Amino acid sequence: MTPRIWRRSLAAAGLIAGLLAGPAAGWAQKPGDSPTPAPVAATARADADRILSQAGQGAASRYFSNVTRPGGPATLMHGRSGLICIFDAQPVRGQLMVYPASGGAAEGDDVSCNLMNSAGQGYLETLYATRYVDGDLQSHFQGAVAEIRARFGALEPWRPAMSDASSGDSPPSLTVRYQVMMDGQPTYTRLSMAQVGAWTVMLRFSAPIGEGEGADQAATRAFEEAVAQVVRGSAS
């Protein structure tokens, strides 16, 4: 397994830590501000265009397309895998990443989107779609866990109130949940990974520990939706 695969996970974790610590510059709205509302559809499409143009100095437009629907949230789709990134939190917060070609993987075959999940306050989500040239689900998963351990040190398992439901029709997947200290604050964090044909789908999700149960449910929905999107993308 190529080490660079998991270094990108740490870069995303750094963004997540910054968002948990407080609003990023340019995203916060001052108390009392009342901006003149723009048409929702036009604003959402413009937000998606902005996120797309800021990624890889515009290079992301070769791999992602703006599929925002009228009246819907800002939405971008990765054409090769079918992964859909929905930026539905307000104000819109998010980032696309297209990782450089490395280890035999072509540019555009290793991407992610970082976003605020609208299901709760401080729910931070990163979705990855990667077409690896070697390794299997277990080895990639172990690499990701090792990077979480390298970042946070001691990992305290976090267990949901209800066990994960499984379906015989679902692609193979693995999940771990931990309580970690992030910027001095106890934090729920989760890693889920599935293999869909040639594509590996990964979710990283973090939230304040006091909202762990709600965050875990939101993470489950986000992961299941992402896997289903790539299943559909692989079939098309």
Side-chain angles (χ1 to χ4, degrees):
M1 182 175 59
T2 315
R4 65 98 195 171
I5 289 170
W6 304 117
R7 283 200 293 270
R8 62 183 174 79
S9 299
L10 288 183
L15 174 66
I16 286 174
L19 291 179
L20 278 174
W27 288 352
Q29 182 174 315
K30 296 179 181 178
D33 281 358
S34 299
T36 302
V40 173
T43 301
R45 177 162 286 278
D47 284 332
D49 282 338
R50 172 178 54 80
I51 293 169
L52 190 58
S53 67
Q54 291 172 346
Q57 298 179 331
S61 61
R62 295 201 296 269
Y63 312 111
F64 285 86
S65 56
N66 188 342
V67 293
T68 303
R69 295 181 178 180
T75 307
L76 296 166
M77 184 175 71
H78 180 233
R80 293 182 183 176
S81 68
L83 181 71
I84 296 173
C85 305
I86 301 175
F87 304 90
D88 57 356
Q90 293 297 325
V92 174
R93 308 180 183 190
Q95 179 187 47
L96 291 181
M97 295 292 291
V98 177
Y99 301 96
S102 179
E107 183 180 271
D109 279 0
D110 189 4
V111 301
S112 71
C113 49
N114 305 304
L115 54 96
M116 301 293 294
N117 186 291
S118 64
Q121 293 294 322
Y123 289 11
L124 302 164
E125 175 185 331
T126 306
L127 290 168
Y128 300 83
T130 308
R131 185 153 50 184
Y132 293 116
V133 296
D134 56 14
D136 57 14
L137 178 64
Q138 186 67 43
S139 64
H140 298 318
F141 189 76
Q142 290 174 350
V145 171
E147 290 295 351
I148 295 174
R149 183 172 290 109
R151 173 172 171 76
F152 295 110
L155 300 175
E156 179 181 343
W158 186 96
R159 294 179 174 83
M162 298 182 63
S163 60
D164 294 323
S166 60
S167 169
D169 296 331
S170 300
S173 66
L174 297 166
T175 291
V176 289
R177 303 167 175 87
Y178 299 113
Q179 177 175 328
V180 299
M181 294 299 293
M182 187 181 289
D183 291 337
Q185 299 297 319
T187 301
Y188 157 93
T189 194
R190 168 175 169 162
L191 162 70
S192 292
M193 188 180 289
Q195 191 66 41
V196 182
W199 291 94
T200 302
V201 181
M202 183 169 76
L203 167 80
R204 288 284 288 112
F205 202 102
S206 297
I209 195 64
E211 299 186 39
E213 287 293 344
D216 194 59
Q217 293 172 20
T220 295
R221 291 192 297 270
F223 181 59
E224 289 176 349
E225 289 169 2
V227 170
Q229 291 158 7
V230 177
V231 167
R232 290 192 294 270
S234 300
S236 62

